[in-house]
Structure formats: structure tokens, C-alpha cells
Amino acid sequence: MSLSKFDYYSPGTVEEASRLLLDIGEGAFLLAGGTDLLVKCNHGMVHPKAVVSLNKIKDLDTIRLDRKKGLTIGAGARLADVEENRDIKRYYPAVAYAASQTANTQIRNMGTVAGNLCNAAPSAENAPTLMAMNAKVVLVGKNGQRRLPLEDFFKGPGLTAIEPGEVLTAIFVPVPPAKSGTSYQHISARGRVDISAVCVGAMVVLNGNQCEEVRIVLGAVAPVPMRAKKAEKILEGQKAGQDLIEKAADQASRESKPITDVRASAAYRKSMVRVLTKRALNEALERARKAKG
Amino acid sequence: MKSFTIIGENVPRTDGEAKATGTAVYADDIKLPRMLHGALLRSPLPHARIKRINVKKAAALPGVKCVITGEDTPKIRYGNWRLFPATQDEYPLAVDKVRFIGDEVAAVAAVDKETAREALELMEVEYEELPAAFDVKAATKKGAPVLHEETPTNISVDRKIQYGDIEKGFRESDYVREDTFTVHAVSHAYLEPCSCVAQTDLDGRITLWTSTQTPYIVQCLLASTMGLRENDIRVIVPHVGGGFGGKMELRPWEFCAAFMARKTGRPVKFTLTREEELATGRRRHPMTLKSKVGFKKDGTLMAKDLEIMLDGGAYNAMGPTATFLCGNFGAMLYRYPNYRFIGKHIYTNKPPASAMRGFGAPQSLFAAESQMNIAAQDMGLDPIDLRIKNAQVTGDTIPDVATISSCGFIESLKEVAKMSNWKRKRKNMKAGKGVGVGCYSFISGGVFNWFNTQFPFSAAEVRAFDDGTVHLLTMATDIGQGSNTAVKMILAEELGLRMEDIRITSADTAMTPQADLGSWGSRVTLMNGNAVIDAARKIKEQIFGAVSAHRKLNVIYDFECKDGMVYPKGRPDKGMTFGEAVSLVQKANRGEPLVARGSYTPRGKGLVTPAFSFGAQVAEVDVDMETGQVTVEKMWTAHDCGTVINHMAVEGQLEGSIHMGLGYALSEQFVMEEGKTLNTTFLDYKMPNAMDMPPGASVCIETYEEEGPMGAKEAGEGLVSPTAPAIADAVFHATGYRCKDLPITPEKILNDLKKK
């Protein structure tokens, strides 16, 4: 299918991109990898008046690790870059893993982590882990830059807190606390390469053998990726044994609000939240125990 | 076993390079001067009367050149079963009624695709909605909505097969069980969506390039629906990206392209979208199969009573054949001394089901093979031993159907057990791990002449040239299965030539020998292969005579063609090149070209097929007991396809079959609500992809099929059947969940585990 006509811009700076968005107004779409935008155009779900490419903006695809502050993933960084980055694999293994589990090789070579977040699908593969790790998004608009916790970023299916004229330029993930571990777990109907029917991200911070902080984020079981806060509470301040993990997993399942759709029934999703939360907590704990104190 | 030069070798496909480099031309690649682009308006309702169609606004849109509805057409019904005109129940465009969501109502041709699609939005159709039936139960209950007035029961075809005395058979059985199985619809999911281009010449004759398996059928039915003579239509098949049974009928877009090309004098192209394909395209029949079997204590089969309801969708399509075949497949593999089959094909308000790889076998054999596994479990017998005890062998007859002229079934069972280490694995598996078995038998083309043609079933023409090359013309249609390569190999073997000495023209109804029913039912290698051999032998007869006369041989020798030479057997010194021999024949015939026609029509081979192939498959699975997800870890296959023509091609077919069987067993299904398909993209129509493919191992059990070309028979289509029952049995072995209702979803497994 061919696309209907639209204007195409390829600005050299974020500021220019932001100005273009404001000037054109409704009907202007940002293009990074295009793996979501072009599919939507082809299916007639959006009819862009203008497409503003981010791909000519210098250094937007930078991945930078500051061992003191944290990790910055530029908006232009491809999923494949994140999946294969040595620093991310070493210090943020669950972030690399979530990127590696997004779509297929061809799409990962084009698509970006930032785009995956901006598309704001409830099933967005990269959201749960990043949210569990307290990631923030960097938004640049006409009034300068602001940083927003990823937790406050999603507003509904396809909806985000991005204001008109704002460009998401980077994702910032703080340095993981000492003795912490993260995990990403997901499930789908087709086995190895598929969109998730349920996904879970978890981070556990240990103090001795007690859980000091626990963050559990569920994907594809609510309009936006959601924290399972009551489940987190069950573990916080406690020594995490199998019983308590099962209890937290049960609680996460109760907190989830899935619907039945073509990918899975609500009942199946609920029971998978329990299984995946348990697996995510176990893996995160395992990693936390092995982490340097 | 006979010895061959090229047959049985690994020969790369003749079209492989063109496809790998992207230079192969498919229907949608064709661009002609002044060509228009078509789009189809489809019914948004599952069942409705058309009260009024207003095309004015659409026709007035700048760029729109032609708009047609059923009212503009000759209103002639068509269907593949020409032998029984009452089964021909489709119009190219809806007349008075629509019967499923997606039924074609009108067509637009415009200067580009976007304009054509925009025009569809401007079409105004007033419908009177009618009650609809979405499954066989709803369609057969009292007071059910009637889809076709001529068929008030909604049962469009019924079929009975019976032999022996089933009552007596069950009375004499020690163990009898009855099960009901249900199987679902799946898509052919060929990579190339349907596409065609029609062009008209100054005399009004039509040339149609189309992605089809059956150019001759399209030619005939297009002629009849347009009120033209068959010779006024020329159908050319470009490269085709798969068919699997989904492209073997006349389709509305072929009619609309041709009809609008005549109306406008401009070429018209239609190419379907994937969404159209998944939402409205042909599919495999969902079926409800009630099966009762009886055994003696020692495992001897005594009787089988099989009743199948086919959910046909809104039209017959190839449903009548599927109805016949699922009953025939129900009687295959084992010796059922007493057998009864009752099959009913039922209309429902859904996209029509039709032929799809296996053609009734995947459904019938899922039931038969699953039930065999259940029975073995109940009787405390090993399922492979139980099969060997009852297996059909060479020479067995199936009353009224066929004599099995070659059969390597028992050998396949023994081989697959050995390869997979069956006995050990079946006894010692951990929870969540299992192995299971499934088997198949399949046909090598059909015998029953439902298309009602006076021509041979298959035909080929060979033209020989004095430069040592030949030109093979055949209506065998290469749809990606590799028939061009296979028939060239057969010809190369027969004439002692190399692949590069053969030019091939296939599937052009104005050029290639008339008739040939096309590529379906695994008929091409056997039937066209025989026709090619027939033509080649006629060529050889002439050149052998000429060479003999020229060399003044005073002894009657047998001749042979080998390595580009023609010579008396054992006397290569008396030979000459193939080209020189051709030149001799031409000189003796006043320069007439050396051409021969060959044909094949099965004789005395019963009603179903000239030859049967057999095989057995073992699946090993790992089931995640918490999520219910099944991973197929390995597939072992041993099968008898007679002489292997091309090993690479057979392996490719096997891998493709496993891929399709995997989707059928585990992940593919249409999610439908009130006749509407909700998953119309590959994101949500879960066809397995490369990463999901299990590793496999296979062995070809070589038999020699006397009826086949060089001993060959079907390879590849039948193999799609054993995969689902083998996986289902492995899942049972791993979890205790016995699937009688495909597909095997994680949810079904978990629900079953919860009950225990």
C-alpha cells in the first residue's frame, strides 16, 4: 500500500524539530525508526500532514553510561543498539533483555526504545523494566527541558504526557542501588518472536537479606504499564522466602486489570501475572544477592 | 531399485535465483500502459438482502473510470464442481444477497489504488439485515436462517461411504469407544496475496495474468461467467508466491479485472491486501468429527463409524471435494474391515472454507490418529505397536476406492520409532516433557472428474531441436512447490539431457497443452510427470528409428538416451548426439519440427487416486506447567513418497509441512465475533515464524510406485497431517491433557491441569 502525501522535514537540532511541531500543529508526527508510524499510516490509522524526522539530529542516538549518575539512552538509539551495548548488558541486563525481546531482528534494527515508549501501547516491552528502575524521560520543548518519571509518562493506550511541541530526547536510568537486581518476564501466544500478551518488570533492593525496596511493573494488563504497589508492600521490609513471593505474585494478579482481546483472555492474563511476577521476583532476587554490596 | 542419472539428486530450483535476488515477476509486479487499479467493495454484514446500490458519487470521483455491481454483470453462477451444476452457487459480484462479511458487492477501477479505495467510501448500499448462522449447530437447527434458497436445509452436500457390516464389527469388538473432535479454520497464509491483471485486445479477447494454481479452471469459468468462449480467454500464470489450495478457483477479482478491462479498454489490476486475505479469504474447513472405533482385545481393528459435519462458510467452493475426501482419509492407514462414513457440508455466514493443503486429511486424521492414541492408552498398548498391527500394506484394497499399489507405512513406523528412540522416551520422561506420534496417508492427485472435462487430466508437449535442446510446454503450474524443476528433471532423465538443455513454458492456456486441472491434490509430479514421460517416449521412438536407419543396423537394438547422446544399448560407438538425431528425424520428415504430445489420465485406479503415500511422525514437546506454553523441541519423520525425484525439494516440503502443522496445532486461529474476523494481520494471526521451528530429522522410505513417473508419488502435502496429532499426543504424554478440540492453547492445558 502506498502512503498518502505529506511534507517531510529533517531538522538538524531538537529545537528546530520542536518549532516545526508547533508550527505545523495537529497532523505533525515525529519519525525515529518508523516501525510504528509507518504501519499506522499504511493501515490508515493516522494521516500525517507532516513527518518530522529525528534522524539527522546529531548525537541523538548516543548511549552514555556515567557510573556515578546513570545511563542515558538517546531517543535515536535503536533497539538493536541497546540490546547489544556492552555497558547496558553488564550494568542493566534487564534493560538489554527487554530490548532484545521487542519484535524481531529487522524491527529492532530500525525501531528505538524511545519510540516504543512514545507509542504507549499497554504492552510496550521496554516500559516495565525501565519503570521498575525509576527511569525518567527527558522532554525538550519551547520552554526548555524537563525530566518526568516514566511512571507519570503514560496516560492511556497511545497517550502520553508529552506536551505539544515537546520532543522526547532521551531516557535516563539512575545507577541501580547496591545489592539490587532486576528482571523482565513476558509471554505471548507465538513462542519466541511476538508481541507480549503479558509482561512484568521487577527490581528488588536488598539490605542484608531483607527487601529494602521492591518495584513490580505489569504490562498489557491495564490501559498503561502499572505498578503493583500492594504486591510490592508485601515484600518490603521482609525476608523474601518462596511463600512471601507467592503471596506477592497473587497480590499482583489481583491488582492487574486485564481485558479479553485477540491475544489472550482476561482470566489467562491474570493467572500469567502471578506466574511472571513470581519468576521476575525470583530472578531479580537472585541477581540482587549476587550483586556487589 | 532402478538407477537414475539426475532423479534423486539434490537439484536447486530453476526459479531459486530469480526469487532470491528479487527479479522474479509476480502478478503485482506487472505494469501495463494505461493500467487501472481495482478495489472491491465488500459486505459489512454477515447476511443481508441488498435493497439498493447507489454508485453515482463513487463514479463521479475524479480518476474513477469504471464502477460495476452485480446488476451490470451477466449474473452467471460458477463453481468448480461443473459436473453438478447445482453446486455452483457463487456470483462474481453479489446478486440480491450477501452471505458473509467480506462478500464482494461491487468493484471500482481507477487511475490509482488510493482513488479506487476512496471511491469505495463513496458507495452507498442499502441493506436489509437478515438473521445469520455462524456455526453448523446454528445452521442446522429448526428455523435456522437459510443462506441459499435452493438449499433450505443449509446442507449443500452429503456423502456416504459404507462397506462391511459395522454393527457386526462393533458386536464382535472387545473394546469400543466414541469421541467427538472439533477442528478449526486456519489460513493458507501464502506470502503473495492474490493478484491479477487483465488486458483486452481489439477483438475483445482477454489475457489474464493471475496468481493461480489452476489456469485452465480459471479460463473456463471466466469464459462462462462473462458469456465468452473459452478460447477467448488466455490465462498466464507468472511466478506465484504459494497457494496451498487457496488459489484454485475463479475469484471475483479475476472476473472484475477482465470485465472492467473490456468495459474501459484499459488493463485493470487487482491486488488484495493481507487484511482482505485474512478477513475474507478461503481457509481450511472447521469440522466436527464424531468417531466410533471397535477393537479386539489384542488390538485388531474391527469397525469404524465416522460422522463429519463440515462448516463450509457461505459457499461451496471446494467443499464438496473436502466432504468426499475426509471420508476417504478416514478409511486410510489401517485395515478397517467394516467402515461407515457420513459427511455433511453445511452453509454458515462466514468466509467460505475451501481446499487447503491436506484437503480433508488434517481434520480427518487429527481425529483418527488422536483416537488411535487414546485407544492404545486405554488398552495398555504402545501406540506404535497398535498401528503396526493394523497398518495397511501393499496390495490392500479399500472397497470402491482404490488398491494400494505401494505402501511403506510399517517401515515408516519402525523407522520413526528407531530415530526418535521412542520406546525409551515414552517410558522415561520428566513431567512437562513428552513424545507423541501421528501418521498420514495421502493421495497423488484425484481421479474423480468433477470439473467435467473431455480432455486428459494432464498433458505435456516436447519440442526437440537440432542444437540438442528441448522445449517443454506444460500446464503444470509452479506455485512455489517446485513443479517446473521436478518435471524438467523427469524430462532430463528420460531424454538423457541436462537441466540447462531444457527450456520450459508452463501454465499459459494459449500456449501450453489444453486441459490439465492444475496444481492441487498433489497431482502434478505423478500426473504431469507421466504426461512428460509419454511425450518424451514419443520423441525417442522417432529418433531411435531414425538413428537405427541411418546406422544401417541389422540387429534390432534397444536404444537409450544418455549424456546428450543417442545410441544402441551397449554400443555407444554407433551413437550420435541428441541434436544430430533430431536433425535426422527432421530431414526424414521434410523439415517438420520434431514435436510430441503426451498425456495422462488414470485408468482402472478406482475413484480417488492412482497412488497413496504414507508416513509417521514423532514430536517431542516441553510444556511449561505454569504458563501452559508448549515448545516443540524436535520432530522426527519417516515417510514413503515412492522414488524421491529431488531430495532438496522433498526436504523443503517437509519443513513447510511442519511449519503449517505447528501453527494448526498450537497457535493459528481466526478470532471471530458474529461473523467478523478480529485478527486480520500477522501480528495477531499467529503463524509460527522461523524462530519457532523445531529442529527435525527425516528419512525417506523408498518404495517404487508402478503408477508413478520413475516410481514417484506424492511428497509434501500429506505431511501436513501428522504434526497436529503427534504434538497433541506429546502434550498428553507431558501433561495428561488430551486435546480433542484444536488448537492446543496454553489456557486449555492450564484449565485441564486445574481440574486434576
Side-chain angles (χ1 to χ4, degrees):
Chain A
M1 203 182 290
S2 55
L3 303 171
S4 51
K5 292 189 173 63
F6 54 78
D7 292 327
Y8 180 78
Y9 299 92
S10 193
T13 64
V14 173
E15 291 67 30
E16 211 183 317
S18 164
R19 207 163 41 242
L20 278 165
L21 290 179
L22 284 173
D23 290 351
I24 300 157
E26 206 160 320
F29 288 83
L30 286 176
L31 173 84
T35 56
D36 281 310
L37 180 64
L38 291 179
V39 174
K40 285 182 191 169
C41 293
N42 277 336
H43 288 185
M45 291 155 73
V46 296
H47 301 277
K49 207 158 75 186
V51 169
V52 179
S53 169
L54 297 173
N55 293 305
K56 285 275 162 65
I57 299 175
K58 212 169 163 271
D59 297 335
L60 201 66
D61 59 354
T62 305
I63 296 171
R64 197 176 53 243
L65 180 71
D66 181 326
R67 295 288 308 278
K68 298 231 165 64
K69 290 181 184 153
L71 171 72
T72 305
I73 300 171
R78 312 285 142 172
L79 288 153
D81 298 335
V82 173
E83 163 190 1
E84 282 155 20
N85 184 286
R86 280 170 57 191
D87 288 335
I88 301 181
K89 272 161 89 168
R90 183 159 173 204
Y91 299 108
Y92 299 83
V95 172
Y97 178 70
S100 80
Q101 297 301 297
T102 309
N104 59 30
T105 307
Q106 292 82 352
I107 289 173
R108 289 195 296 275
N109 286 338
M110 289 298 291
T112 60
V113 175
N116 186 239
L117 300 180
C118 290
N119 192 46
S123 61
E125 287 83 354
N126 296 278
T129 329
L130 290 171
M131 251 168 84
M133 298 188 80
N134 284 308
K136 291 183 170 64
V137 291
V138 182
L139 299 166
V140 176
K142 66 171 193 274
N143 301 324
Q145 194 189 74
R146 64 178 175 130
R147 287 186 169 218
L148 188 70
L150 189 56
E151 209 176 326
D152 302 330
F153 178 71
F154 299 106
K155 296 295 174 195
L159 298 174
T160 67
I162 299 178
E163 295 288 337
E166 275 187 329
V167 179
L168 191 158
T169 58
I171 301 151
F172 175 77
V173 198
V175 175
K179 292 306 276 180
S180 71
T182 51
S183 171
Y184 175 68
Q185 301 287 330
H186 66 116
I187 195 168
S188 70
R190 184 168 27 199
R192 296 189 175 89
V193 183
D194 200 7
I195 188 164
S196 295
V198 177
C199 51
V200 175
M203 181 169 84
V204 177
V205 185
L206 287 177
N207 183 358
N209 52 16
Q210 272 188 10
C211 297
E212 190 171 85
E213 191 191 347
V214 177
R215 288 170 67 93
I216 300 167
V217 183
L218 314 176
V221 291
V224 295
M226 62 168 278
R227 292 263 304 272
K229 290 188 180 167
K230 287 184 191 156
E232 294 169 357
K233 285 254 152 53
I234 291 178
L235 289 167
E236 275 172 355
Q238 305 292 320
K239 204 178 133 210
Q242 249 349 279
D243 283 0
L244 219 52
I245 286 173
E246 301 257 357
K247 246 175 103 178
D250 276 340
Q251 176 56 38
S253 170
R254 276 195 293 277
E255 277 177 78
S256 66
K257 293 166 275 193
I259 54 164
T260 294
D261 65 13
V262 297
R263 287 174 202 149
S265 73
Y268 182 69
R269 281 194 161 107
K270 264 196 176 290
S271 62
M272 286 312 100
V273 168
R274 185 174 50 72
V275 174
L276 297 187
T277 302
K278 186 178 77 182
R279 290 180 182 181
L281 287 170
N282 275 323
E283 188 177 57
L285 267 166
E286 183 68 28
R287 285 177 172 165
R289 285 189 191 114
K290 283 187 188 149
K292 291 202 182 91
Chain B
M1 208 57 63
K2 308 205 172 173
S3 77
F4 297 110
T5 307
I6 184 169
I7 295 299
E9 294 299 305
N10 281 319
V11 177
R13 292 253 289 261
T14 56
D15 53 351
E17 193 180 327
K19 286 180 174 171
T21 55
T23 51
V25 172
Y26 295 82
D28 189 55
D29 294 320
I30 297 171
K31 293 182 179 72
L32 298 175
R34 303 177 69 239
M35 185 173 81
L36 300 174
H37 296 264
L40 290 158
L41 182 72
R42 297 174 177 279
S43 168
L45 299 172
H47 199 192
R49 209 169 290 288
I50 300 170
K51 293 182 74 179
R52 215 167 291 112
I53 305 180
N54 185 347
V55 306
K56 273 195 195 130
K57 281 187 201 159
L61 184 73
V64 171
K65 300 296 173 190
C66 187
V67 182
I68 56 168
T69 71
E71 287 305 309
D72 302 307
T73 69
K75 298 191 196 174
I76 295 165
R77 289 204 283 200
Y78 68 96
N80 274 9
W81 272 58
R82 284 202 303 193
L83 185 63
F84 298 110
T87 64
Q88 296 186 291
D89 57 4
E90 252 176 301
Y91 292 106
L93 289 174
V95 172
D96 300 332
K97 257 180 96 166
V98 288
R99 297 178 177 86
F100 70 95
I101 294 178
D103 213 349
E104 292 84 358
V105 173
V108 174
V111 292
D112 55 38
K113 273 190 282 194
E114 291 69 32
T115 309
R117 294 227 166 83
E118 204 183 326
L120 294 184
E121 309 278 316
L122 300 173
M123 299 282 282
E124 293 168 356
V125 188
E126 197 182 318
Y127 294 103
E128 176 196 335
E129 194 164 358
L130 300 169
F134 299 115
D135 56 48
V136 294
K137 217 169 146 191
T140 50
K141 72 169 189 235
K142 221 178 144 196
V146 173
L147 277 85
H148 298 263
E149 269 133 45
E150 305 80 3
T151 312
T153 56
N154 288 328
I155 300 171
S156 65
V157 181
D158 53 30
R159 161 85 169 152
K160 190 171 179 182
I161 303 173
Q162 185 163 14
Y163 52 80
D165 179 344
I166 58 162
E167 300 310 329
K168 187 162 166 277
F170 285 123
R171 265 201 316 275
E172 291 170 1
S173 297
D174 299 313
Y175 166 79
V176 176
R177 76 166 292 135
E178 193 177 313
D179 297 281
T180 300
F181 300 89
T182 56
V183 292
H184 62 304
V186 286
S187 171
H188 306 87
Y190 30 68
L191 278 185
E192 181 208 12
C194 291
S195 179
C196 71
V197 182
Q199 186 182 36
T200 179
D201 67 15
L202 295 175
D203 299 326
R205 290 199 177 87
I206 299 287
T207 302
L208 179 77
W209 291 264
T210 185
S211 178
T212 185
Q213 306 175 220
T214 53
Y216 176 62
I217 288 178
V218 171
Q219 177 196 9
C220 295
L221 295 179
L222 183 56
S224 68
T225 49
M226 291 184 72
L228 296 173
R229 295 169 300 181
E230 284 171 11
N231 199 22
D232 294 333
I233 309 279
R234 176 182 184 183
V235 175
I236 303 174
V237 184
H239 279 103
V240 173
F244 308 107
K247 297 177 179 173
M248 64 171 293
E249 301 160 59
L250 174 68
R251 281 80 51 86
W253 46 94
E254 290 167 330
F255 172 90
C256 292
F259 194 79
M260 294 199 287
R262 274 192 127 210
K263 273 194 98 164
T264 60
R266 297 172 68 163
V268 179
K269 178 195 278 185
F270 278 81
T271 299
L272 266 53
T273 62
R274 181 62 63 187
E275 289 75 10
E276 277 179 295
E277 289 281 5
L278 285 172
T280 71
R282 300 297 203 229
R283 57 216 39 218
R284 182 178 285 153
H285 283 90
M287 296 188 194
T288 305
L289 310 99
K290 206 165 92 185
S291 180
K292 184 174 162 187
V293 282
F295 294 83
K296 282 282 191 199
K297 254 199 231 84
D298 67 354
T300 308
L301 262 171
M302 296 301 290
K304 176 165 173 174
D305 190 6
L306 179 64
E307 199 184 323
I308 301 183
M309 307 262 266
L310 291 87
D311 183 343
Y315 299 99
N316 274 325
M318 284 301 288
T321 315
T323 312
F324 279 39
L325 285 179
C326 61
N328 293 323
F329 290 122
M332 289 306 297
L333 288 175
Y334 312 108
R335 299 166 144 183
Y336 298 100
N338 308 290
Y339 180 75
R340 181 171 71 183
F341 162 73
I342 293 170
K344 294 191 175 92
H345 182 269
I346 293 148
Y347 287 133
T348 57
N349 293 105
K350 289 189 299 199
S354 192
M356 180 170 164
R357 196 181 198 164
F359 221 161
Q363 301 99 321
S364 203
L365 293 180
F366 176 72
E369 289 296 283
S370 293
Q371 203 167 31
M372 205 68 181
N373 290 330
I374 298 171
Q377 176 81 14
D378 283 0
M379 291 189 286
L381 299 169
D382 178 272
I384 290 183
D385 293 343
L386 179 63
R387 283 171 167 84
I388 291 171
K389 188 173 184 61
N390 293 289
Q392 286 172 333
V393 296
T394 303
D396 274 359
T397 57
I398 303 142
D400 300 333
V401 173
T403 299
I404 298 168
S405 41
S406 64
C407 176
F409 185 33
I410 289 180
E411 295 84 340
S412 298
L413 283 161
K414 288 182 174 165
E415 184 60 38
V416 85
K418 200 171 91 194
M419 288 162 80
S420 63
N421 211 344
W422 170 262
K423 292 266 175 192
R424 189 180 60 77
K425 285 199 161 132
R426 191 76 178 178
K427 285 208 179 79
N428 310 309
M429 282 292 228
K430 290 189 204 115
K433 296 228 178 233
V435 288
V437 62
C439 303
Y440 80 94
S441 171
F442 202 68
I443 56 174
S444 300
V447 173
F448 187 61
N449 187 8
W450 41 260
F451 197 59
N452 197 22
T453 142
Q454 63 274 38
F455 301 107
F457 274 29
S458 195
E461 184 176 305
V462 175
R463 302 175 183 169
F465 300 94
D466 65 1
D467 61 0
T469 67
V470 295
H471 185 181
L472 170 61
L473 295 101
T474 168
M475 201 88 102
T477 306
D478 198 324
I479 56 170
Q481 89 280 38
S483 64
N484 278 354
T485 309
V487 293
K488 272 175 77 171
M489 286 175 73
I490 289 169
L491 184 60
E493 182 72 43
E494 192 64 35
L495 294 181
L497 299 175
R498 299 165 302 174
M499 291 294 273
E500 56 265 39
D501 299 329
I502 303 171
R503 164 198 285 268
I504 187 167
T505 299
S506 61
D508 174 344
T509 64
M511 303 291 291
T512 50
Q514 189 163 23
D516 196 307
L517 296 169
S519 291
W520 53 269
S522 293
R523 61 194 298 286
V524 174
T525 299
L526 187 139
M527 295 197 182
N528 200 249
N530 280 334
V532 167
I533 290 174
D534 186 33
R537 286 188 181 153
K538 287 174 183 163
I539 295 278
K540 289 203 306 199
E541 209 171 291
Q542 295 202 53
I543 57 178
F544 291 167
V547 175
S548 181
H550 182 76
R551 293 287 192 227
K552 300 194 174 62
L553 297 174
N554 52 5
V555 181
I556 308 291
Y557 284 100
D558 278 340
F559 273 81
E560 66 183 329
C561 289
K562 213 171 175 186
D563 303 328
M565 301 294 290
V566 183
Y567 51 84
K569 268 193 184 152
R571 295 297 303 274
D573 57 306
K574 296 276 179 197
M576 62 180 68
T577 66
F578 184 83
E580 285 164 348
V582 171
S583 141
L584 278 183
V585 176
Q586 285 192 266
K587 278 182 184 152
N589 287 320
R590 300 183 308 276
E592 284 287 314
L594 176 51
V595 177
R597 274 289 179 92
S599 66
Y600 174 79
T601 299
R603 299 268 182 261
K605 298 302 292 182
L607 261 182
V608 177
T609 186
F612 293 94
S613 46
F614 294 86
Q617 199 164 56
V618 167
E620 183 172 333
V621 303
D622 177 280
V623 183
D624 184 323
M625 302 294 267
E626 284 187 320
T627 64
Q629 290 213 312
V630 177
T631 307
V632 178
E633 308 227 291
K634 185 136 182 172
M635 300 293 299
W636 292 271
T637 310
H639 63 132
D640 153 32
C641 57
T643 301
V644 173
I645 300 283
N646 185 349
H647 260 288
M648 279 170 113
V650 170
E651 271 176 28
Q653 286 287 330
L654 171 61
E655 284 171 16
S657 292
I658 289 175
H659 171 258
M660 218 170 218
L662 199 63
Y664 189 47
L666 296 174
S667 60
E668 292 180 38
Q669 60 181 320
F670 290 105
V671 183
M672 295 186 78
E673 223 173 71
E674 301 283 293
K676 187 175 164 50
T677 307
L678 303 179
N679 52 339
T680 61
T681 68
F682 280 137
L683 182 65
D684 286 317
Y685 182 84
K686 305 286 185 186
M687 185 164 80
N689 56 38
M691 300 289 286
D692 300 316
M693 280 294 286
S698 70
V699 167
C700 294
I701 306 290
E702 290 226 1
T703 60
Y704 193 89
E705 170 57 53
E706 286 300 335
E707 186 71 9
M710 292 152 188
K713 50 189 178 178
E714 178 272 339
E717 182 171 5
L719 275 165
V720 81
S721 295
T723 307
I727 291 173
D729 190 37
V731 167
F732 169 77
H733 189 218
T735 66
Y737 164 61
R738 178 68 77 184
C739 175
K740 294 188 194 176
D741 169 31
L742 283 179
I744 306 162
T745 62
E747 211 162 356
K748 287 178 190 168
I749 294 175
L750 288 188
N751 288 342
D752 188 76
L753 289 176
K754 235 181 272 169
K755 271 187 253 157
K756 282 168 187 162

